[in-house]
Amino acid sequence: DAGITQSPRYKITETGRQVTLMCHQTWSHSYMFWYRQDLGHGLRLIYYSAAADITDKGEVPDGYVVSRSKTENFPLTLESATRSQTSVYFCASSHQIYEQYFGPGTRLTVT
Amino acid sequence: QQQVKQSPQSLIVQKGGIPIINCAYENTAFDYFPWYQQFPGKGPALLIAIRPDVSEKKEGRFTISFNKSAKQFSLHIMDSQPGDSATYFCAASSSGTYKYIFGTGTRLKVLA
């Protein structure tokens, strides 16, 4: 039972490059979320999705793009990475509105 | 009004002690309050959650106390163990939004 997985787990990229972080869940959960975690800020919602082809902005969406063509996948793309996007990114999913389950995270460094 | 304020930022207790982590909110529309536990290098894991129709909920050594009038809720860890050393996050959500607002986290260290 894989649950929710993220890839890559670690990524170093240069400023200006496009980067895609992958998230895959095996539970067929309707809801999926992307958060970033930074010291002193806790977890902040970037984008979320209620179902395939339905996405919406969270608290800090600028510089990020998401898509959800299949229920199980929710990739997050940084179109032109900036140093301020250096962070740990977590994907989460939820069957109902509540009880979100988190993936192991992707540590992204933008140089 | 969307913030959830969490304190303290860090906490050190002796084994067997009862660490208490507090959270406060402003938005009265919040109706679900989960706590997450996160170990280094791992994703947050749901620990326990409460809704405002009850004042207390226990699961094992973990207890949430909820004060609706004060708009505050707290996590108590009974008989704390070194294995409880982790970062704890409170959060709040309201019906129909499925968006969590997280607190900034409390780093707990339980000394052996």
Side-chain angles (χ1 to χ4, degrees):
Chain A
D1 184 1
I4 184 165
T5 57
Q6 294 183 235
S7 62
R9 294 293 315 278
Y10 303 90
K11 177 73 176 178
I12 300 174
T13 191
E14 295 177 342
T15 299
R17 291 198 180 260
Q18 179 174 288
V19 177
T20 296
L21 309 183
M22 303 302 294
C23 178
H24 175 77
Q25 52 104 354
T26 60
W27 294 310
S28 298
H29 284 172
S30 297
Y31 304 97
M32 296 189 75
F33 311 83
W34 274 106
Y35 293 88
R36 59 178 290 173
Q37 184 174 33
D38 305 288
L39 203 61
H41 291 279
L43 290 144
R44 293 181 292 175
L45 182 65
I46 304 170
Y47 268 95
Y48 60 101
S49 170
D53 297 321
I54 300 175
T55 62
D56 206 349
K57 296 177 180 179
E59 182 185 354
V60 289
D62 293 343
Y64 303 96
V65 175
V66 294
S67 63
R68 195 164 176 211
S69 57
K70 292 184 178 181
T71 299
E72 61 267 29
N73 297 324
F74 191 37
L76 175 74
T77 297
L78 288 66
E79 293 189 299
S80 180
T82 65
R83 289 195 180 89
S84 65
Q85 293 177 310
T86 292
S87 185
V88 181
Y89 290 86
F90 288 100
C91 178
S93 72
S94 175
H95 173 60
Q96 301 172 348
I97 290 178
Y98 304 124
E99 298 181 7
Q100 294 183 21
Y101 297 92
F102 284 77
T106 294
R107 183 175 293 276
L108 176 67
T109 301
V110 183
T111 62
Chain B
Q1 197 179 27
Q2 287 289 355
Q3 281 187 325
V4 176
K5 295 182 180 181
Q6 183 172 346
S7 63
Q9 189 174 354
S10 62
L11 190 54
I12 300 175
V13 299
Q14 294 288 337
K15 179 182 174 182
I18 305 176
I20 300 172
I21 304 170
N22 301 299
C23 285
Y25 64 97
E26 290 294 325
N27 188 347
T28 55
F30 288 149
D31 61 359
Y32 179 73
F33 304 90
W35 284 91
Y36 280 79
Q37 179 188 55
Q38 185 181 28
F39 294 105
K42 304 292 185 182
L46 180 63
L47 191 61
I48 186 173
I50 197 168
R51 297 180 192 271
D53 52 343
V54 297
S55 60
E56 185 176 275
K57 183 175 181 180
K58 292 182 180 181
E59 285 189 7
R61 295 184 294 106
F62 300 92
T63 299
I64 300 178
S65 298
F66 187 82
N67 186 329
K68 189 174 181 178
S69 61
K71 292 183 284 186
Q72 295 176 349
F73 57 109
S74 302
L75 177 69
H76 303 233
I77 305 175
M78 306 302 176
D79 187 27
S80 59
Q81 301 296 313
D84 296 328
S85 297
T87 299
Y88 292 82
F89 292 95
C90 64
S93 180
S94 58
S95 298
T97 69
Y98 48 80
K99 290 190 289 185
Y100 284 1
I101 304 296
F102 278 92
T104 51
T106 296
R107 184 173 292 185
L108 172 67
K109 186 174 180 63
V110 182
L111 302 175

